[in-house]
Amino acid sequence: MLNSLFNTVIAKLIEWFFLDKIEGVENIKIDGPVIIVANHNSYLDHFFILYLYRKYWNSNELYFLTKEEAFKKFFSRKWHEIMKSISVSRASAGQEGLKELKKILLNKKASVVLYPEGTRSKTGFLQPGKMGAVALAATTGIPIVPIGLEGTFDILPPKKILPRRTKASIKVGKIIKVKKIPKTELLEIHNKLMQELSQLSNESFDLIVDKSVEDKKIYYANYYNELGIRNYVDNEYIPNVYHRRAKYLCNQLLNNGVESDEIYFEISRSVGRLGLNSKNFMYKIFRLLQTKYYAYKSLKQNKKFAPAHYVLANYYLNMFTLFPKKSLIKAENHYKLAINSDSSSIYIKLGFARLLLKKKNYTEAEQFLNQIQRAKVFNSVDYRRKLEAKILLMRFKPVYANKFMEAEIK
């Protein structure tokens, strides 16, 4: 009775505060038990699925397969018992848990939920999945219903206690029926199932296999910040979602005692962008002060780390101050330190050239913009920066327009 009340209350809270929309409802008009397979980012995933099941399916019980480690601590154990979770041992490759689920499906006529990834994603990317769900469907004849959960990582990712007030969506795919076939064919069905989960959840696969968890988090923090800064028209989310993800990944590393110039740099620009994107003046100031703090922490790790100097240069350009001339001098000094440490990066030279134009130092600005024109380009972002430098040259010296036009004609 208590368990049912608890689940009902949580499911209602999900509906009121966190649920955006549900798609593919027509795919869940099924009589009898099913095997629900979903991507896994958050403890709240259970409740999103529970809400969906109770609203659109039937009153049959719903069970979850959960790693045995979740039952070792008192509160975690009670939580999972309330959710009707079944403990599975990694040592047994999940065979004991799958046997128990088979009994539930065939004898109790109840439905079960499996997360092929085995654990919550630590980066927001879809992890490689295990074949338990497909094997269970093949031995029982019970259909699989794939479900994509989009946005739960941004509400309550691993290690976070308080959920963020934002929305997530549920997308239900078409049922998959699996016959008793050779294991090699089961693998093919499993791969298609994981592709389906990727599409339903709008999550890309984590394809990085040669890095540690810590290195992956640094890599993806950079990846998310770049997506947020570029703000491409085909991005799945608004910039702040990406910057919050980068900030979260960096904080997880720092909380675990992992420090580096790169980590402090990534968190400095994530909070900086959150501040610059905000319309709230006090919030903007707070985030920009954090930017300064983390950038200096980065330089404490490596005083010649050019990206941190670049961040500080932008901080002094964007921070509200009663002494704008002093801030401009500090910004210029950090640009120079960045160039001294890294004379080849186009983005640093372009930023410095903009500052020089702001100071009306046209001669030196022209020199740096011309250096950019001669620089080698290794990616599309630097190619775009090179074009930006070309536009700046044409704006303050029309002669460059003719020069570039003649070069195009030739």
Side-chain angles (χ1 to χ4, degrees):
M1 177 65 179
L2 185 61
N3 290 4
S4 178
L5 178 63
F6 176 81
N7 289 337
T8 300
V9 170
I10 296 295
K12 276 297 177 184
L13 291 174
I14 291 292
E15 179 184 14
W16 293 338
F17 299 111
F18 300 112
L19 181 61
D20 182 16
K21 59 184 177 181
I22 301 174
E23 297 181 41
V25 174
E26 66 278 5
N27 295 323
I28 56 181
K29 301 299 181 182
I30 305 169
D31 293 325
V34 294
I35 300 169
I36 297 172
V37 180
N39 59 306
H40 195 22
N41 285 311
S42 170
Y43 276 139
L44 293 181
D45 293 343
H46 293 2
F47 296 105
F48 275 89
I49 292 172
L50 184 64
Y51 168 79
L52 178 79
Y53 187 75
R54 289 191 169 180
K55 185 174 178 66
Y56 293 102
W57 251 288
N58 48 49
S59 58
N60 288 353
E61 291 182 313
L62 185 65
Y63 290 82
F64 295 82
L65 192 64
T66 306
K67 60 184 180 181
E68 65 177 352
E69 292 89 342
F71 290 83
K72 291 182 178 179
K73 294 182 179 179
F74 177 79
F75 288 108
S76 180
R77 182 174 70 253
K78 289 299 180 184
W79 167 281
H80 285 92
E81 286 174 353
I82 288 172
M83 293 303 300
K84 295 186 181 298
S85 296
I86 296 168
S87 174
V88 57
S89 168
R90 295 185 191 275
S92 66
Q95 293 305 310
E96 294 177 5
L98 290 175
K99 287 179 182 177
E100 185 65 26
L101 290 183
K102 184 177 179 180
K103 291 178 184 177
I104 290 169
L105 287 165
L106 298 178
N107 299 336
K108 290 188 177 182
K109 302 298 181 183
S111 295
V112 300
V113 177
L114 282 86
Y115 301 112
E117 295 166 274
T119 188
R120 291 167 294 164
S121 171
K122 294 177 175 61
T123 60
F125 280 76
L126 194 65
Q127 307 302 302
K130 298 178 177 63
M131 290 179 54
V134 173
L136 186 64
T139 57
T140 61
I142 305 296
I144 291 174
V145 178
I147 291 179
L149 300 170
E150 182 181 1
T152 57
F153 183 81
D154 301 302
I155 299 174
L156 190 68
K159 304 296 183 182
K160 291 288 282 186
I161 298 174
L162 297 176
R164 179 179 178 79
R165 183 73 183 277
T166 187
K167 299 284 187 175
S169 299
I170 304 172
K171 195 169 185 179
V172 185
K174 295 181 179 180
I175 66 167
I176 299 172
K177 294 182 178 179
V178 185
K179 300 177 181 179
K180 289 186 178 181
I181 53 178
K183 192 172 182 180
T184 52
E185 294 182 41
L186 284 180
L187 178 60
E188 184 179 343
I189 295 174
H190 165 75
N191 290 337
K192 288 181 179 179
L193 172 61
M194 295 305 296
Q195 287 288 346
E196 178 76 353
L197 290 183
S198 175
Q199 292 176 7
L200 292 171
S201 63
N202 271 330
E203 279 185 20
S204 300
F205 283 99
D206 180 1
L207 300 177
I208 300 175
V209 295
D210 59 343
K211 292 181 182 287
S212 65
V213 174
E214 288 76 16
D215 287 341
K216 277 188 180 184
K217 287 182 178 179
I218 297 172
Y219 175 87
Y220 283 125
N222 173 271
Y223 174 82
Y224 284 136
N225 271 332
E226 287 297 320
L227 279 180
I229 292 169
R230 305 296 153 235
N231 193 20
Y232 298 118
V233 294
D234 58 350
N235 279 0
E236 296 292 342
Y237 304 106
I238 61 173
N240 280 4
V241 171
Y242 294 115
H243 294 310
R244 281 195 293 267
R245 288 187 177 188
K247 175 175 169 287
Y248 160 77
L249 292 176
C250 292
N251 274 326
Q252 289 302 302
L253 289 165
L254 295 173
N255 291 341
N256 289 331
V258 182
E259 293 181 289
S260 74
D261 49 9
E262 289 181 273
I263 296 171
Y264 282 118
F265 163 67
E266 291 300 343
I267 194 171
S268 71
R269 66 175 183 158
S270 66
V271 296
R273 286 289 172 166
L274 288 170
L276 291 174
N277 294 341
S278 175
K279 295 179 180 178
N280 184 309
F281 179 74
M282 294 308 296
Y283 180 82
K284 186 192 295 285
I285 295 297
F286 168 69
R287 287 302 187 192
L288 287 176
L289 287 172
Q290 280 191 316
T291 300
K292 178 183 177 183
Y293 169 78
Y294 286 122
Y296 275 115
K297 292 282 281 186
S298 177
L299 290 177
K300 192 174 180 180
Q301 298 286 320
N302 178 4
K303 64 181 180 181
K304 292 186 177 180
F305 192 54
H309 284 297
Y310 176 80
V311 166
L312 284 168
N314 279 278
Y315 162 80
Y316 285 114
L317 286 175
N318 288 286
M319 184 62 173
F320 172 78
T321 178
L322 297 174
F323 309 101
K325 288 186 179 180
K326 286 186 177 180
S327 291
L328 209 59
I329 292 170
K330 288 181 179 180
E332 184 174 357
N333 288 338
H334 278 290
Y335 269 126
K336 288 178 178 178
L337 287 168
I339 290 170
N340 287 337
S341 299
D342 181 2
S343 60
S344 61
S345 289
I346 292 176
Y347 75 97
I348 297 175
K349 289 183 178 180
L350 182 60
F352 188 41
R354 289 182 189 279
L355 172 64
L356 293 171
L357 289 173
K358 189 174 183 179
K359 291 181 63 180
K360 298 183 179 180
N361 188 344
Y362 298 120
T363 301
E364 197 173 354
E366 184 178 5
Q367 290 174 0
F368 276 97
L369 291 172
N370 275 312
Q371 284 180 26
I372 293 172
Q373 296 310 305
R374 295 190 295 270
K376 289 184 178 180
V377 172
F378 298 101
N379 55 61
S380 60
V381 175
D382 274 349
Y383 179 73
R384 191 208 69 206
R385 288 172 178 143
K386 198 167 184 176
L387 291 176
E388 287 179 19
K390 185 178 286 188
I391 292 168
L392 288 174
L393 281 168
M394 289 189 290
R395 276 181 176 173
F396 82 90
K397 274 200 173 182
V399 65
Y400 280 102
N402 295 327
K403 178 182 176 182
F404 295 139
M405 185 174 66
E406 289 171 4
E408 287 288 331
I409 293 172
K410 290 179 182 179

